[in-house]
Amino acid sequence: MKKKYLLFFMAVYAITSFGQVPIITTIVDGDCSGGNPKLLEIYADGMVDFSLYSLENQINAGTTFGNTQDLSGFGIVTDGFVYVTTAGSAASISTEFPSLVSANIITSGTMNVNGNDRVKIILNSSGATVDQYGVDDTDGTGTTWENADSYAKRVDGTGPDAGFTEVNWTIPGVRSLNNLGTCQGGTDTFETLISGIGTYSTTASTTPTINVGGAVSGLDYFEANGPSTEDTFTVSGTNLTADLTVAAPMNFEISLTTGTGFGSSAAITPTTGTVATTTVFVRLVTGLTSNSYMGDATASSAGATNQTVPLSGTVSPADPQFTINGFIDDFTYFEGADPSAEDSFNVEGLFLTDDITITAPANFEVSLTSGTGFGSSVAITPNMGTVNSIEVFVRMISGLTANTYAGDITISSAGAIDQTIGLTGTVSPIAVCANVGDIIITEIMQNPVSDGDDPNGEYFELYNTTASPIDIASWTIKDDDGINDLHVIANSLIIPANGYIVIGDPNGSITLDYAYSARDIFLGNGTDGLIIECNSTVIDQVIWDNGATFPDPTGASMELSVNDLNSIANDDGANWTEAITAFGSGDLGTPGDVNDNASTLSVDSFDQPTDNFAISPNPTNTGFVNITTKSSTSVNISVFDLLGKQVISKTLSDTRLNVSYLNTGIYIIRLDQNGTSITKKLVIE
């Protein structure tokens, strides 16, 4: 075993000591849209056969390297550069790194990393680390090697490192590319801003060099309340022969230690000519008047070119002011079930000379205590001019009639600018409920494609199984957990006798009878449910199951068989099929019309011989027919017109069926009892 261990290290030593090895030389975490481009530059030192190597990453606070990318796609490269990027970086690579148009590039998810993550090259035969950026098992957030919205470049003449060696890297610090690049309206590309790519040399430089991090902005405080909070930038240096001195511009101060030691300058003594990446803390000095301030911090050392870091900040007047935080949702309640539930926001203030007064609009009320103390206004008294964050509760008052209500809460204090929060609420009429199963769900479009991303184009269809119109005003639509999706029908919405309505998302191209508020209801593509409820009574529900028993279409609706138009049958996925009729922008479905599977009722099935059922009179002009059977159990009756539209669906517990509201003509009647069924012609004269 010891001999194998020795041979392993001899092999690694042989590769890395005589060239023929890949070296990570630049890593970029861009600041274009989506945090792109992501870019890793690798230098082939000598003749490198990349089929011997792979790239791995370790993300966040993870302790395992993985997401391996085989590098054999680079082939054999001699003394040249290759690059790894991500699919999402393609557009920004072409604009921010124009010299890479014809470069040797691999696109890999392994480079879907951020500035706090780690990457390394491994030798396939042994798994040994050949070179690495970032400290093992360490989330880089807040470290000196973090390169979020920034980059890092290897110092010439260093590497590869079998583990991360930070002193071998020039790391400007986080945000050095923030809001820069042509992708954000700048004149310089990222390639220019990082002083080029493909610049690494295996020959160590002897020129004194200083590197600094990106600009610092947003330092601020109110008059007489300085200094500002701190921010940071980084400095480093190589081949230095004297101290690296950092000097602050006027109105700013710096320190090498957080919270203390601030002054106009600081000196860092190099070790064997090197200053490792060092964090410099910066802040606005105390005692400034209201204004904007800016200047450049300068890093210098004998023989090196000076480097500057732009600094900026603001001192604001200590005027009375307050801020509000939070968002108020719409309020609702049914007539008599008042007041509404509460919602809340927070208010805080500085430099106040008087109370903060919060005034509710008509039909709303406010309180500083949940559940009690509500009134038209409340006042908050500051403590030495300050109001720490206070929660303010809001609700719609009791006693309102069915209507929609709106108004603005006003928050005010002497010398401060008034602020408002818009409120809206709805009082719904008391719901008039039907019987369970009188209204049923007959079609569900849970995964449309022609209207873009879900929920655009989602809809469902409701069918009235009775011979009388039903108004579903104030009924509730919700999903099966009753929490994530919930909508109350806000106005009169009548479903005709034996008729359909279509309800859906307002952002689709389909014509709807009713649109719920945008994003109130999401019809899940996998497993989800839809419940129609009145005063806490479930009138009908359908729970689909990601294709286990229900259909699982894309771009087509799920449709209930016209032979099963009842609230029991629509619980069974076997009674649902995929729609086949195109409508609107190209999806498949029959919203507001008889479902596609109406064709299962064929005239070929009329008048099957049976002794179990009898219908009389037939033809009839009496307004009814008598249905007799050999069994005393109830009969399920379905009547369809010749276009396939169901006009009657009910369970008959006696022998008499009312058909007085049917027009003269020929109909199809289906009778189901005890597992036996028959379809006959029914003639209305």
Side-chain angles (χ1 to χ4, degrees), residues 29 115-116 140-151 171-178 213-216 231-234:
D29 181 57
N116 59 343
T141 303
T143 66
T144 51
W145 56 266
E146 182 185 5
N147 63 298
D149 294 345
S150 186
Y151 65 97
I171 308 166
V174 297
R175 302 187 302 275
S176 66
L177 298 178
N178 203 27
V216 173
D231 205 340
T232 63
F233 61 92
T234 59

Side-chain angles (χ1 to χ4, degrees), residues 359-440:
T359 305
N363 305 311
F364 296 87
E365 54 191 0
V366 292
S367 175
L368 299 179
T369 307
S370 176
T372 187
F374 279 88
S376 60
S377 66
V378 293
I380 303 171
T381 301
N383 180 13
M384 299 181 66
T386 298
V387 169
N388 293 322
S389 184
I390 297 290
E391 188 170 14
V392 181
F393 300 90
V394 190
R395 69 185 185 188
M396 196 159 50
I397 65 174
S398 299
L400 297 176
T401 57
N403 208 336
T404 299
Y405 299 89
D408 290 339
I409 285 181
T410 301
I411 303 97
S412 61
S413 186
I417 298 173
D418 288 358
Q419 297 188 49
T420 60
I421 302 175
L423 304 179
T424 58
T426 301
V427 177
S428 301
I430 298 172
V432 177
C433 296
N435 297 318
V436 173
D438 284 355
I439 300 298
I440 64 171

Side-chain angles (χ1 to χ4, degrees), residues 112-253:
N112 282 322
V113 292
N114 295 314
N116 59 343
D117 299 326
R118 289 75 68 202
V119 294
K120 70 177 180 180
I121 298 172
I122 64 168
L123 186 64
N124 292 335
S125 60
S126 63
T129 299
V130 176
D131 199 13
Q132 179 172 321
Y133 185 87
V135 178
D136 276 355
D137 309 337
T138 301
D139 184 333
T141 303
T143 66
T144 51
W145 56 266
E146 182 185 5
N147 63 298
D149 294 345
S150 186
Y151 65 97
K153 298 186 75 171
R154 179 176 285 282
V155 174
D156 287 346
T158 66
D161 304 314
F164 180 55
T165 304
E166 186 175 341
V167 72
N168 290 344
W169 289 86
T170 298
I171 308 166
V174 297
R175 302 187 302 275
S176 66
L177 298 178
N178 203 27
N179 297 318
L180 301 176
T182 60
C183 65
Q184 298 184 109
T187 56
D188 292 328
T189 64
F190 286 164
E191 186 171 339
T192 299
L193 292 166
I194 70 172
S195 301
I197 44 127
T199 60
Y200 169 78
S201 171
T202 55
T203 302
S205 172
T206 59
T207 302
T209 302
I210 298 170
N211 298 287
V212 296
V216 173
S217 60
L219 300 172
D220 65 86
Y221 66 85
F222 292 103
E223 279 185 305
N225 287 272
S228 71
T229 55
E230 304 168 358
D231 205 340
T232 63
F233 61 92
T234 59
V235 296
S236 61
T238 56
N239 305 313
L240 301 180
T241 60
D243 287 354
L244 192 162
T245 300
V246 183
M250 183 180 296
N251 303 315
F252 296 84
E253 55 189 359

Side-chain angles (χ1 to χ4, degrees), residues 474-598:
S474 299
W475 289 25
T476 300
I477 307 165
K478 64 182 185 179
D479 67 3
D480 55 327
D481 67 13
I483 299 173
N484 295 325
D485 299 352
L486 183 69
H487 180 83
V488 177
I489 303 295
N491 49 262
S492 177
L493 183 60
I494 296 174
I495 308 180
N498 300 120
Y500 302 90
I501 64 167
V502 180
I503 297 175
D505 185 273
N507 297 306
S509 58
I510 183 175
T511 299
L512 301 170
D513 296 292
Y514 182 86
Y516 38 74
S517 299
R519 307 302 188 258
D520 271 7
I521 302 293
F522 293 83
L523 304 179
N525 298 343
T527 298
D528 202 0
L530 190 59
I531 298 172
I532 308 302
E533 190 175 86
C534 181
N535 291 344
S536 301
T537 297
V538 175
I539 305 299
D540 189 35
Q541 67 178 20
V542 174
I543 312 297
W544 56 98
D545 53 15
N546 200 28
T549 62
F550 278 76
D552 187 26
T554 298
S557 67
M558 300 186 293
E559 295 191 328
L560 179 65
S561 166
V562 295
N563 298 329
D564 298 291
L565 297 181
N566 64 79
S567 62
I568 303 300
N570 73 351
D571 293 335
D572 186 352
N575 296 327
W576 292 76
T577 60
E578 293 187 20
I580 59 173
T581 300
F583 75 94
S585 301
D587 284 331
L588 306 179
T590 57
D593 207 346
V594 177
N595 290 344
D596 285 328
N597 46 34

